[in-house]
Amino acid sequence: MTHHDSSDRQGFATRAIHAGQEPDPRTGAVNVPIYATSTFAQDGVGGLREGFEYARTGNPTRAALETALAALEGGAHGRAFSSGMAATDAALRAMLRPGDHLVIPNDAYGGTFRLIDKVLVHWGIDYSVAPVGDTEAIAAAIRPETKLVWIESPTNPLLNVADIAAVATATHAAGARLVVDNTFATPFYQRPLALGADVVLHSTTKYLGGHSDVIGGALVTDDAELDAAFGFLQNGAGGVPGPFDVFLTLRGLKTLAVRMERHTANARAVVELLRGHPGVSEVLYPGYAGMVSIRLAGGREAALDLCKKLEIFTLAESLGGVESLVELPAAMTHASTAGSLLEVPDDLVRLSVGIEDVEDLLGDLTRALG
Ligand code: PLP
């Protein structure tokens, strides 16, 4: 959960604002220009001025974001994708071949499960599920043909936490590699590469972008060969973000540190209120960041009722933006897990606590819970 280590030359907030984002050498612009261009003139065949050739392969605005993301995760290489799912797809296809097996959480973003369960299985890839909080169970799920252990921590939506260092040790002992989806913690709170993970994945749509105005994803790794494979898929499969989306994500990143502090402060106050409320049977919160999941004493009807009555918390999918959101995972973000080992309780309400005035958020919850 650390966001500083002795090898960092600059603090986290400084890197979020400056890494990869030096003033434009030609004009002095303090923000990275939006390079809205699909192609780059060559000085003679193969004569690339700055290494840029065609914008599916690489674009200077995207390169700035990739440098910034790598710096924040403390990794050597970053790759930006058009969505978290495009990043997930690239990671899975770069790291798995037909006949391989992977271990996934029994509690994870429904879209990740859907991609593995509905798409990858047709390419001869098999999976097992294990709880991320139980390293022994993960180790026990590893088979001789396991090439990948995939975890989220904290998980979406039950906010279970993995011992990433222990999972990395167990994974590597079996000759497999570990991918950690760090979307919920963000590198402000947790840096999986420093804990032994091979790859960090983000839906930058969430806290990194931070304003619910862009869809994006990223992969960060220290492994040059893996990074090359991810880059090959950026170019070869094409799931890359456009320069405007990249600019918005870079703009969001600059305030990540202050936003995360405020998300946490507000979420802690929300947790304190909800823990004492008779209408709430369980409050799930890992202690940091803005995601809080609750189960309602009155079951599914009470959960639906709460979603309907909240006003400042907007009923919508997604999370990690400045505005507070509420959703019912069983019917919304996690509908694809129905009937599977990843099915979520139907009385579960997921809150993304935003950075509004906390009194307003507490008032909204108190009124809506009745
Ligand atoms: N990983 C997690 C933990 C998520 O919550 C999400 C989206 O909700 C994704 C990945 C997929 O990201 P995107 O929606 O940007 O494709």
Side-chain angles (χ1 to χ4, degrees):
M1 247 186 58
T2 175
H3 56 274
H4 289 271
D5 70 40
S6 55
S7 67
D8 295 333
R9 285 196 309 279
Q10 294 175 328
F12 184 90
T14 306
R15 277 177 285 142
I17 294 165
H18 295 290
Q21 304 164 75
E22 294 76 25
D24 180 50
R26 193 166 69 84
T27 63
V30 296
N31 284 301
V32 178
I34 301 170
Y35 285 91
T37 187
S38 59
T39 194
F40 300 83
Q42 305 190 9
D43 297 323
V45 174
L48 309 182
R49 292 179 197 174
E50 304 268 342
F52 297 104
E53 177 176 22
Y54 184 63
R56 171 160 30 79
T57 329
N59 166 292
T61 321
R62 189 173 103 207
L65 176 62
E66 291 174 334
T67 301
L69 291 170
L72 293 184
E73 283 291 356
H77 312 281
R79 297 280 176 180
F81 290 85
S82 55
S83 67
M85 289 319 303
T88 301
D89 183 53
L92 291 169
R93 283 192 291 134
M95 299 173 82
L96 295 169
R97 293 290 175 267
D100 288 349
H101 170 264
L102 80 157
V103 179
I104 61 170
N106 68 350
D107 165 27
Y109 173 55
T112 306
F113 172 68
R114 183 177 55 202
L115 178 63
I116 293 164
D117 182 60
K118 298 279 188 287
V119 181
L120 259 86
V121 291
H122 299 304
W123 269 261
I125 286 157
D126 195 9
Y127 68 89
S128 304
V129 306
V132 294
D134 185 344
T135 306
E136 279 179 26
I138 293 173
I142 294 177
R143 301 180 191 164
E145 61 275 24
T146 304
K147 293 285 162 31
L148 199 60
V149 172
W150 184 287
I151 58 173
E152 284 175 21
S153 185
T155 56
N156 179 3
L158 297 176
L159 300 165
N160 287 302
V161 172
D163 179 344
I164 294 174
V167 174
T169 302
T171 301
H172 294 153
R177 288 189 287 208
L178 176 65
V179 176
V180 177
D181 183 333
N182 202 28
T183 299
F184 273 36
T186 83
F188 182 72
Y189 284 118
Q190 170 172 279
R191 308 245 305 266
L193 297 178
L195 300 170
D198 298 282
V199 178
V200 177
L201 177 134
H202 279 282
S203 167
T204 57
T205 311
K206 311 298 179 343
Y207 287 109
L208 300 192
H211 296 74
S212 303
D213 53 9
V214 63
I215 297 280
L219 297 173
V220 179
T221 183
D222 280 330
D223 183 320
E225 254 177 62
L226 272 181
D227 177 64
F230 300 154
F232 186 87
L233 284 170
Q234 280 183 316
N235 183 51
V240 293
F244 294 96
D245 285 0
V246 157
F247 173 82
L248 286 173
T249 308
L250 270 173
R251 181 180 162 110
L253 267 193
K254 290 178 193 285
T255 54
L256 181 63
V258 288
R259 284 189 287 106
M260 292 317 291
E261 282 168 1
R262 177 67 171 256
H263 280 294
T264 297
N266 282 1
R268 286 182 179 162
V270 162
V271 164
E272 198 179 326
L273 172 87
L274 295 174
R275 287 218 162 113
H277 198 286
V280 177
S281 57
E282 197 179 357
V283 179
L284 306 169
Y285 184 60
Y288 54 92
M291 298 307 295
V292 179
S293 289
I294 59 174
R295 298 186 69 175
L296 278 294
R300 180 181 151 84
E301 284 311 310
L304 285 167
D305 195 51
L306 177 62
C307 290
K308 200 165 126 197
K309 287 190 176 146
L310 283 167
E311 286 173 1
I312 298 175
F313 284 84
T314 301
L315 178 60
E317 298 197 358
S318 204
L319 61 110
V322 290
E323 71 292 301
S324 293
L325 301 177
V326 59
E327 67 120 2
L328 195 80
M332 295 171 65
T333 49
H334 290 68
S336 65
T337 64
S340 80
L341 290 166
L342 280 79
E343 188 169 271
V344 295
D346 67 359
D347 60 357
L348 185 81
V349 169
R350 192 187 73 181
L351 301 171
S352 176
V353 179
I355 64 170
E356 298 95 335
D357 288 299
V358 71
E359 297 75 21
D360 294 330
L361 299 181
L362 299 180
D364 197 30
L365 284 163
T366 304
R367 186 192 45 74
L369 281 165

